[in-house]
Amino acid sequence: MLLRVMPRDGTVVLVLPKRAGLAAGQAFMQEQAGWILARQAERPQAEPWQDGSHLPLLGEKLLIRHRPEARERGAVWLEDGAVHVAGRAEHVQRRLRDWLKQRARTEFSSQARQMAEAEGLTLRKVTIRDTQSRWGSCSAGGNLSFSWRVIMAPPAILRYLVAHEVAHLRHMDHSDAFWGLVARLVGGEVELRAARGWLKRHGTDLHLHG
């Protein structure tokens, strides 16, 4: 049996083996009530996007400026080191989220296709999702999927995740050959360890925005 506390909203997920009954799972959760409460208490507070708060973008924090009457530049735009959002206040978070998703789609698709082409690998499609359990995935058919939230992390983290999934186009496992290819794609073992370490320390924080 396995318990997970989801990073975004604290939802508790119980994973049961095929032969385990629901009653046994419920009993297990009751036994682990202290652990569940402790994990939920450790979760940092969410950071809503609003005028005067900050939006992470590729490792930088941009000041959010709500510009309700300024529509000539579009819904969201960058100017003077800040991200500006037009329209009503209740639409700020959705507009920023949509804008980041589009940035993520462009960055992931561009980098993944460049890496795959350089390695002579076939990449069919790149999609962007909002997952909580994994940052990226690679299907047997050559399709890659990434969490749009990684666009908020430093560029080296985005490159590592692209390299990780592109490497799966050749090695559908986590063998030494796989990790060797990932290390080469990101620039070396030091860069690989640094990126993995960053995700372990700060990855959960990416779920607290938007």
Side-chain angles (χ1 to χ4, degrees):
M1 298 183 191
L2 177 66
L3 282 175
R4 293 175 181 165
V5 178
M6 305 310 288
R8 194 172 311 156
D9 55 11
T11 298
V12 179
V13 176
L14 171 66
V15 181
L16 294 175
K18 291 183 178 180
R19 291 180 292 178
L22 181 59
Q26 291 173 330
F28 177 68
M29 289 188 67
Q30 291 177 349
E31 293 172 359
Q32 299 298 322
W35 180 89
I36 294 171
L37 292 174
R39 298 293 81 73
Q40 290 182 324
E42 291 172 355
R43 290 177 57 251
Q45 293 297 311
E47 299 181 27
W49 293 330
Q50 56 193 3
D51 184 55
S53 64
H54 289 85
L55 175 81
L57 176 63
L58 292 173
E60 297 185 10
K61 285 191 174 183
L62 301 176
L63 182 66
I64 298 173
R65 288 299 188 196
H66 180 213
R67 304 277 299 279
E69 305 303 324
R71 299 178 181 274
E72 67 279 1
R73 300 288 298 273
V76 181
W77 69 97
L78 295 175
E79 183 181 355
D80 298 329
V83 56
H84 300 257
V85 190
R88 296 162 60 179
E90 59 266 33
H91 297 159
V92 167
Q93 293 214 113
R94 177 181 56 79
R95 289 189 168 184
L96 286 172
R97 189 162 51 245
D98 291 344
W99 183 74
L100 284 180
K101 287 180 179 179
Q102 185 57 50
R103 290 287 298 257
R105 185 174 292 107
T106 300
E107 287 289 336
F108 274 118
S109 181
S110 174
Q111 291 196 33
R113 294 192 182 283
Q114 288 178 14
M115 278 191 196
E117 183 178 352
E119 291 295 322
L121 300 170
T122 300
L123 169 58
R124 301 192 183 282
K125 186 170 71 171
V126 177
T127 58
I128 299 299
R129 304 185 188 279
D130 193 5
T131 54
Q132 293 196 68
S133 59
R134 59 174 62 184
W135 298 113
S137 63
C138 174
S139 74
N143 300 316
L144 304 187
S145 176
F146 299 96
S147 167
W148 67 266
R149 293 177 179 274
V150 181
I151 196 67
M152 296 184 280
I157 309 307
L158 191 148
R159 182 171 181 82
Y160 158 67
L161 288 167
V162 171
H164 187 281
E165 301 311 328
V166 167
H168 276 315
L169 294 172
R170 177 169 292 159
H171 305 287
M172 287 298 289
D173 53 33
H174 288 97
S175 61
D176 289 344
F178 165 82
W179 287 114
L181 177 55
V182 176
R184 180 161 61 80
L185 290 173
V186 299
E189 289 288 344
V190 173
E191 290 78 4
L192 172 59
R193 289 194 296 270
R196 296 184 71 188
W198 191 97
L199 277 173
K200 288 181 180 179
R201 293 190 302 272
H202 307 292
T204 299
D205 296 344
L206 300 179
H207 291 289
L208 302 176
H209 300 277

